Amino acid sequence: MVIALIGATGLVGRVMMKVLEERRFPVSSFIPCASARSAGRKLEFNGAEHTIVTVEEAIEARPDIALFSAGAATSRQYARSFAERGTFVIDNSSAWRNDPSVPLVVPEVNAHTLNANTKIIANPNCSTIQMVLPLAPIHKRYGIRRLVIATYQSVTGTGVKAVQQLENERAGIKGEMAYPHPIDLNCFPHGGDFLENGYTAEEMKLVNETRKILDSPEIQITATVVRIPVAGGHSEAVNIELDNDFHIDEIRQLLHKTPGVVVQDDPINNIYPMPKQAAGHDEVFVGRIRRDHSVNFGLDLWIVADNLRKGAATNAIQIAQHLLDNKLV
Ligand code: A2P
């Protein structure tokens, strides 16, 4: 496979390289790209040095797959040029996610939406990926009527500058601000731009992308996205109202059996998912599994994952693996 990586110097781009290496993805030729600022610099992949090239050069190379993680503007500008030349684009930005002709894929949930003609494929938003993985089997079995979500999101979801801001604040250094406020010893209910409906862009991603991936536009969803001074992963408190009654042990069993999900639910012994422990892992961790007694058929879950891995890089590489395993590429 000839693989191009657009955004190779970014946080997600670097994890994508690591995941490709760890999974021994069959890469015959690797083409790293970044902005013009980085072109000519070298980076190491699979034990060899590679020179960063411009996106235009990568398009001409007609790679089999182009992994994009360089922001929505870059994806909008270049994804079609790759696709027109026969390259599969797996795009980690928000550029194509709401396009009805573009599959939005969490492979364990809806890989069936991929085929040889879906040349542009959207990788969902990090907080959506980790939420729909455990929710999909619950939805299939009991039907999800409504979701009330609060997220506690890592600064790594914002990119290199945000991690730098947190580190600067902790070291007492005055530097560039990625956020409108200090993040260390703080938290704010602000992820992405504020929209006219009062929600933020990150909150609406949870609403729209969850409906699309679960193929259920009728699910009622409200979300509050909160940024916290943590680097290892995103956490989510998810309140679920189901259409049908359930037994809490059945939910636990269902989650135990779900590929990619790890149940960590022994609160008496202080065992529940935490970002510090999820960091560096590909699985989604679920705990605090309990009935919500305030409504009929209510359920509460606490869901944690490394947002750079299953929330971004790992999911993208799993999509690439699916294309390969099913001889679509
Ligand atoms: P560069 O390092 O040259 O700026 P993050 O989200 O972690 O901040 O990373 C963003 C990634 O997107 C980086 O690899 C960055 O490269 C890359 N990038 C930004 N703008 C462009 C562009 N116009 N074309 C290609 N890559 C870009």
Side-chain angles (χ1 to χ4, degrees):
M1 291 282 114
V2 178
I3 304 288
L5 173 55
I6 322 303
T9 55
L11 280 185
V12 173
R14 281 183 260 162
V15 180
M16 281 179 171
M17 289 197 284
K18 214 188 279 181
V19 176
L20 286 168
E21 288 176 337
E22 287 169 2
R23 299 187 168 218
R24 299 182 194 286
F25 195 86
V27 183
S28 57
S29 173
F30 180 65
I31 308 171
C33 303
S35 74
R37 299 181 286 280
S38 305
R41 269 179 47 198
K42 295 199 187 312
L43 50 80
E44 204 181 295
F45 174 73
N46 268 349
E49 277 208 330
H50 295 79
T51 303
I52 297 173
V53 301
T54 62
V55 187
E56 285 81 3
E57 286 173 84
I59 292 168
E60 290 315 314
R62 295 174 182 259
D64 297 296
I65 296 175
L67 299 162
F68 267 70
S69 190
T74 306
S75 299
R76 276 195 206 97
Q77 189 177 352
Y78 297 110
R80 278 216 176 90
S81 304
F82 279 101
E84 281 160 8
R85 286 165 177 76
T87 297
F88 276 96
V89 170
I90 302 174
D91 181 34
N92 192 49
S93 83
S94 60
W96 307 97
R97 291 179 188 153
N98 293 334
D99 184 325
S101 69
V102 172
L104 180 66
V105 179
V106 177
E108 298 91 334
V109 179
N110 65 341
H112 60 270
T113 57
L114 298 171
N115 63 55
N117 299 318
T118 51
K119 289 289 191 258
I120 300 181
I121 302 160
N123 205 41
N125 170 50
C126 41
S127 35
T128 308
I129 293 177
Q130 71 178 64
M131 188 180 72
V132 297
L133 191 60
L135 289 194
I138 295 173
H139 183 46
K140 197 168 167 199
R141 174 89 164 75
Y142 303 99
I144 292 175
R145 178 186 296 247
R146 180 166 188 252
L147 296 170
V148 181
I149 307 155
T151 73
Y152 305 71
Q153 296 191 197
S154 151
V155 294
T156 55
T158 315
V160 176
K161 280 187 193 150
V163 176
Q164 194 61 54
Q165 179 183 329
L166 177 62
E167 286 174 359
N168 284 346
E169 287 173 15
R170 286 184 176 167
I173 298 167
K174 238 184 154 37
E176 206 185 325
M177 297 282 281
Y179 298 120
H181 303 287
I183 182 66
D184 193 27
L185 303 172
N186 200 11
C187 71
F188 33 80
H190 184 177
D193 294 335
F194 281 100
L195 309 174
E196 271 183 11
N197 66 1
Y199 285 81
T200 65
E202 291 282 307
E203 288 160 355
M204 290 313 294
K205 287 175 189 174
L206 276 159
V207 175
N208 297 324
E209 296 182 21
T210 300
R211 288 175 173 162
K212 180 167 173 176
I213 298 164
L214 297 180
D215 193 20
S216 299
E218 73 285 356
I219 301 178
Q220 298 298 302
I221 307 174
T222 185
T224 303
V225 162
V226 181
R227 192 71 61 183
I228 60 169
V230 154
H234 291 350
S235 305
E236 301 173 329
V238 183
N239 178 259
I240 307 157
E241 214 178 316
L242 297 167
D243 287 326
N244 295 290
D245 202 3
F246 62 91
H247 195 285
I248 201 72
D249 288 338
E250 290 170 1
I251 300 280
R252 219 171 255 122
Q253 283 310 316
L254 203 53
L255 292 171
H256 263 299
K257 284 192 301 196
T258 304
V261 169
V262 174
V263 174
Q264 285 182 330
D265 195 30
D266 186 8
I268 300 302
N269 290 307
N270 305 326
I271 292 173
Y272 31 71
M274 293 180 290
K276 197 161 183 161
Q277 155 280 318
H281 293 274
D282 285 323
E283 295 86 359
V284 172
F285 299 88
V286 185
R288 301 296 321 278
I289 302 167
R290 64 201 190 278
R291 185 177 275 277
D292 164 10
H293 293 284
S294 71
V295 288
N296 282 335
F297 317 150
L299 173 68
D300 278 301
L301 301 178
W302 174 250
I303 303 171
V304 180
D306 183 330
N307 54 298
L308 296 179
R309 281 192 168 252
K310 183 55 182 169
T314 301
N315 198 69
I317 307 305
Q318 287 174 324
I319 293 172
Q321 189 71 51
H322 180 90
L323 296 176
L324 186 65
D325 293 346
N326 290 276
K327 300 188 171 42
L328 299 175
V329 64

